[in-house]
Amino acid sequence: MLHGLDQHTNSIYAPVQEGLVKVEEKLRSLAKAETSHVKPLLQYVTEAGGKRVRPAITLLAAQFHPHDPARPVLMASAVELLHLATLIHDDTVDNSPLRRGRSTVSNTWNSHVAVLFGDYVFATSATFVCDTQNIRVIRRFSETIMELASGQLMEYFTAFDPVQARNLYNDRIYRKTASLFCTASESGALLGEAPEEEVQALKDYGYNLGMAFQVGDDLLDFQGDPTDLGKPVGSDLMNGVLTLPTIMLLERYPNDDLVPSLFQDPTDQAKLQKVLEVINNSAILADCEQVVQDYCDKARQSLQILPDCAPKQSLLDLTDYVTARRR
Amino acid sequence: MLHGLDQHTNSIYAPVQEGLVKVEEKLRSLAKAETSHVKPLLQYVTEAGGKRVRPAITLLAAQFHPHDPARPVLMASAVELLHLATLIHDDTVDNSPLRRGRSTVSNTWNSHVAVLFGDYVFATSATFVCDTQNIRVIRRFSETIMELASGQLMEYFTAFDPVQARNLYNDRIYRKTASLFCTASESGALLGEAPEEEVQALKDYGYNLGMAFQVGDDLLDFQGDPTDLGKPVGSDLMNGVLTLPTIMLLERYPNDDLVPSLFQDPTDQAKLQKVLEVINNSAILADCEQVVQDYCDKARQSLQILPDCAPKQSLLDLTDYVTARRR
């Protein structure tokens, strides 16, 4: 079993177990090759484990046609490294001391080191993608980094604004999350020599899975996340970040002052508890669960044109995993 | 005349004037295409002007053979954008309020925005490089971002260490400065369809010019830089950064306690003045000038295999410009 995985993900990952072991080796070999000050930093972030969902998607998406297996492994490693780089910078700008119970780079070292080391990891991920020799994949990867950064900037600039339409929320979560899921599945398909129609199908799968993943993640902020040690319920709201449950509340009661009033005074625990209470006592969370289910359904439908096989079953099972991880 | 250039650089840039105007248009078109929160940030950094030395090198290096002129323009724009991205992050981690008399991004907005926007600019530069369609150039570009980041990390981790050999200094300034000069000239040559021998020659030119540029820049910290508004003499030393003059001092007086004592107490102005005085009263600055000259000589020698023509003369003249800008 790969380090850090539960029984559930481990069975989903079975068809690409070998590839995932190679990804792990590739990530760890980075620190081994370094002699400089970067070595302990690389060890710290690559040996932390993680669910490796994104590289698994890349590898699974590559399994439908005969191909050079080294290229999806390179891409899967790049996708995971890019994810790690964004976490390093996100935790830095958010001043987060912990991520999943472990001290962040900016907390263990400092923000000076975390900014520069994040740049280093971004660039390292790009060299892996270059080694796939596929220009379309390389360009898509660069665009994804732009989307990730602009999604985070969008979240920052719209914070504490209680008037945000749902389409802006959708655009924001596409950029900050679904874009990389999309790139993970699309690039896997391309490097797995899939025909264009299947590339589009697997890209759609990644998009919908990523959207489901982020809406689900945003829901956890209202329900409490048993796996996310130390993150208090309602922390998005306290940081002024509007997510789907609150947007639905604002859609239903456009003239209500509850959320605008909280955003005027975000440290007021009584106001926060009131918003959480109203949302929890409404049908909103169930409606959000339905949005997650709808995205998962679309993800599954995207795969219809693909032949039934173990990798396809794993991609289908991943949509259940996204839904189930909150229970 | 291009905005921000003096008469001297303007005559050097004459053979690539048209290309530089296109680079300027390309940089400014980024903000025009954006409708989001990124637009004012892009305007702020692309309309600030600058000497555009790096894109000029790329364009000049491409002039020796018939080629598609769009590709060096893309690369030159990418090289300048990458330079701008590194400035955004460097100013953020150094908490610099000003750069060349103008408020930095982190000072005008804040470090949160500057980190994420820097990522966005890094990624944008990479998309430009992708559009050259040349995998070797794309990979070299990613490696350069790694070198830039690791050079800055090296500077951070070795700060206030008074025992640093000259080869470590050379490695550090290669990474933080000469690497991008190298990539500017090498990629220009490659996209200018130069044969491998000339690519290597132009790469060597970029390396030596970049090393001369950084040693010269480090010298300015001891002599005072008339163009760099507000940066006090001796600021590298106050920040614990060993550069060539101080390394030469330590080489000559390995048992002297002056520098170690300053690094114990870097805010002590009397100790700082003493180190500056000893260096200024020795032959050290003249010897450093000689190092700059030696690098410039090597840069000029690298060009010997190239035919005499206006672009070659401009590259030769640039070495004089590097030497002259401190007078």
Side-chain angles (χ1 to χ4, degrees):
Chain A
M1 193 190 291
L2 277 168
H3 173 76
L5 297 181
D6 54 32
Q7 197 54 52
H8 193 154
T9 43
N10 205 55
S11 87
I12 296 177
Y13 293 173
V16 288
Q17 177 79 12
E18 203 183 319
L20 280 170
V21 168
K22 283 191 182 139
V23 167
E24 217 60 35
E25 284 167 6
K26 207 146 178 55
L27 296 182
R28 283 161 202 245
S29 71
L30 284 172
K32 286 187 193 125
E34 269 289 347
T35 51
S36 74
H37 308 279
V38 179
K39 189 186 183 87
L41 284 152
L42 281 169
Q43 277 173 331
Y44 192 78
V45 301
T46 57
E47 293 176 5
K51 288 196 295 293
R52 311 297 196 218
V53 174
R54 295 161 189 79
I57 292 170
T58 300
L59 295 174
L60 287 166
Q63 298 304 307
F64 294 89
H65 297 274
H67 64 279
D68 170 3
R71 297 167 88 211
V73 166
L74 277 165
M75 190 66 210
S77 309
V79 161
E80 184 65 12
L81 266 186
L82 173 52
H83 175 56
L84 294 175
T86 62
L87 296 184
I88 294 166
H89 278 184
D90 291 350
D91 290 338
T92 306
V93 299
D94 292 338
N95 287 313
S96 307
L98 296 174
R99 171 161 301 264
R100 306 229 166 244
R102 190 162 179 269
S103 177
T104 58
V105 171
S106 58
N107 190 51
T108 306
W109 280 266
N110 55 46
S111 66
H112 188 126
V113 170
V115 170
L116 299 172
F117 179 59
D119 292 347
Y120 183 88
V121 179
F122 272 117
T124 306
S125 71
T127 62
F128 282 6
V129 184
C130 287
D131 292 341
T132 68
Q133 306 277 318
N134 183 310
I135 296 258
R136 178 170 162 191
V137 163
I138 298 169
R139 195 177 201 293
R140 183 70 202 110
F141 193 76
S142 299
E143 287 166 2
T144 303
I145 304 180
M146 288 173 71
E147 286 172 343
L148 289 163
S150 67
Q152 293 291 343
L153 282 167
M154 201 181 279
E155 184 169 299
Y156 176 83
F157 281 115
T158 58
F160 299 109
D161 177 359
V163 188
Q164 284 176 60
R166 200 191 286 206
N167 63 343
L168 282 180
Y169 168 76
N170 287 337
D171 184 30
R172 172 154 55 85
I173 68 170
Y174 161 70
R175 287 171 189 264
K176 74 175 234 181
T177 303
S179 169
L180 184 51
F181 274 81
C182 236
T183 298
S185 58
E186 183 186 7
S187 60
L190 282 165
L191 298 171
E193 310 290 353
E196 190 60 31
E197 189 191 14
E198 292 181 17
V199 171
Q200 288 305 321
L202 284 156
K203 181 183 171 182
D204 288 347
Y205 167 85
Y207 170 81
N208 286 297
L209 186 71
M211 294 299 278
F213 188 90
Q214 187 57 51
V215 175
D217 213 52
D218 290 344
L219 263 173
L220 288 179
D221 199 51
F222 289 82
Q223 299 164 320
D225 177 357
T227 66
D228 197 354
L229 306 168
K231 196 183 171 201
V233 169
S235 62
D236 284 340
L237 269 176
M238 270 189 284
N239 292 315
V241 178
L242 277 194
T243 59
L244 192 55
T246 318
I247 290 172
M248 282 189 176
L249 180 70
L250 292 162
E251 283 171 355
R252 283 163 209 208
Y253 306 101
N255 300 318
D256 190 279
D257 192 44
L258 223 49
V259 177
S261 164
L262 171 65
F263 280 4
Q264 292 289 319
D265 191 6
T267 58
D268 188 323
Q269 283 299 312
K271 286 181 180 175
L272 174 67
Q273 290 310 319
K274 185 69 196 163
V275 177
L276 292 175
E277 198 184 301
V278 172
I279 288 175
N280 275 291
N281 290 338
S282 71
I284 285 176
L285 295 186
D287 291 349
C288 289
E289 291 278 5
Q290 190 55 51
V291 171
V292 175
Q293 283 303 334
D294 291 347
Y295 278 124
C296 286
D297 287 346
K298 280 187 201 157
R300 283 188 288 265
Q301 282 157 21
S302 313
L303 301 181
Q304 275 175 354
I305 64 160
L306 291 162
D308 290 334
C309 57
K312 178 175 173 176
Q313 191 54 50
S314 289
L315 290 170
L316 291 170
D317 290 347
L318 259 185
T319 66
D320 293 327
Y321 177 65
V322 163
T323 328
R325 75 194 169 100
R326 293 190 312 289
R327 294 202 187 113
Chain B
M1 194 190 292
L2 278 168
H3 174 76
L5 297 182
D6 55 30
Q7 197 54 52
H8 193 153
T9 43
N10 205 55
S11 87
I12 296 176
Y13 293 173
V16 288
Q17 177 79 11
E18 204 182 318
L20 281 170
V21 168
K22 284 190 182 139
V23 167
E24 217 60 36
E25 284 166 7
K26 209 149 176 52
L27 297 182
R28 282 161 202 244
S29 70
L30 285 172
K32 286 187 192 124
E34 270 288 348
T35 52
S36 73
H37 308 279
V38 180
K39 190 185 182 86
L41 284 153
L42 279 170
Q43 277 174 331
Y44 192 79
V45 301
T46 58
E47 292 176 6
K51 288 196 294 293
R52 311 297 196 218
V53 175
R54 294 161 190 81
I57 292 171
T58 299
L59 296 174
L60 288 165
Q63 299 303 307
F64 294 90
H65 297 273
H67 64 279
D68 170 4
R71 296 167 87 211
V73 166
L74 277 165
M75 189 68 211
S77 308
V79 160
E80 185 65 11
L81 267 186
L82 173 53
H83 175 55
L84 294 175
T86 61
L87 297 183
I88 294 166
H89 278 185
D90 290 351
D91 290 339
T92 306
V93 298
D94 292 339
N95 287 312
S96 307
L98 296 174
R99 171 164 298 267
R100 305 227 166 246
R102 191 163 178 269
S103 177
T104 58
V105 171
S106 57
N107 190 50
T108 306
W109 281 266
N110 55 46
S111 66
H112 189 124
V113 170
V115 170
L116 298 172
F117 179 60
D119 292 347
Y120 182 88
V121 179
F122 272 117
T124 307
S125 71
T127 63
F128 282 5
V129 184
C130 287
D131 293 341
T132 68
Q133 305 278 319
N134 183 309
I135 296 257
R136 177 169 163 192
V137 163
I138 299 168
R139 195 178 201 293
R140 183 69 201 110
F141 194 76
S142 300
E143 287 166 3
T144 303
I145 303 180
M146 288 173 72
E147 286 171 345
L148 289 164
S150 66
Q152 293 290 343
L153 282 167
M154 202 182 277
E155 185 169 299
Y156 175 83
F157 281 115
T158 57
F160 298 109
D161 176 359
V163 188
Q164 286 176 59
R166 200 191 287 206
N167 62 344
L168 283 180
Y169 168 77
N170 287 337
D171 184 30
R172 170 154 57 83
I173 68 171
Y174 161 70
R175 288 171 189 264
K176 74 174 234 183
T177 303
S179 169
L180 184 50
F181 275 80
C182 234
T183 298
S185 58
E186 183 186 7
S187 60
L190 282 165
L191 299 171
E193 310 290 354
E196 190 59 33
E197 188 190 17
E198 291 181 19
V199 171
Q200 288 305 321
L202 284 157
K203 181 183 173 183
D204 289 347
Y205 167 85
Y207 170 82
N208 286 296
L209 186 71
M211 295 297 280
F213 188 89
Q214 187 57 52
V215 175
D217 212 53
D218 290 344
L219 262 172
L220 288 178
D221 198 52
F222 289 82
Q223 299 165 322
D225 177 0
T227 67
D228 196 357
L229 304 168
K231 195 185 172 201
V233 170
S235 62
D236 283 340
L237 268 176
M238 271 190 284
N239 292 316
V241 178
L242 277 194
T243 59
L244 191 56
T246 319
I247 289 171
M248 282 189 176
L249 180 69
L250 291 161
E251 283 171 353
R252 284 163 207 207
Y253 307 101
N255 300 318
D256 190 279
D257 191 46
L258 224 47
V259 177
S261 164
L262 172 65
F263 280 4
Q264 293 288 320
D265 191 6
T267 58
D268 187 324
Q269 283 299 311
K271 286 181 180 175
L272 174 66
Q273 290 311 318
K274 185 68 196 164
V275 176
L276 293 174
E277 198 184 302
V278 172
I279 289 175
N280 274 291
N281 289 337
S282 71
I284 285 176
L285 295 186
D287 291 348
C288 289
E289 292 279 4
Q290 190 55 52
V291 172
V292 175
Q293 284 303 334
D294 290 348
Y295 278 124
C296 287
D297 287 346
K298 281 187 202 157
R300 283 188 287 266
Q301 282 158 20
S302 314
L303 302 180
Q304 275 176 354
I305 64 159
L306 291 161
D308 291 333
C309 57
K312 177 175 174 176
Q313 191 55 50
S314 288
L315 290 170
L316 291 169
D317 290 348
L318 260 184
T319 65
D320 293 328
Y321 177 65
V322 163
T323 329
R325 76 194 169 100
R326 292 188 312 290
R327 293 200 188 115

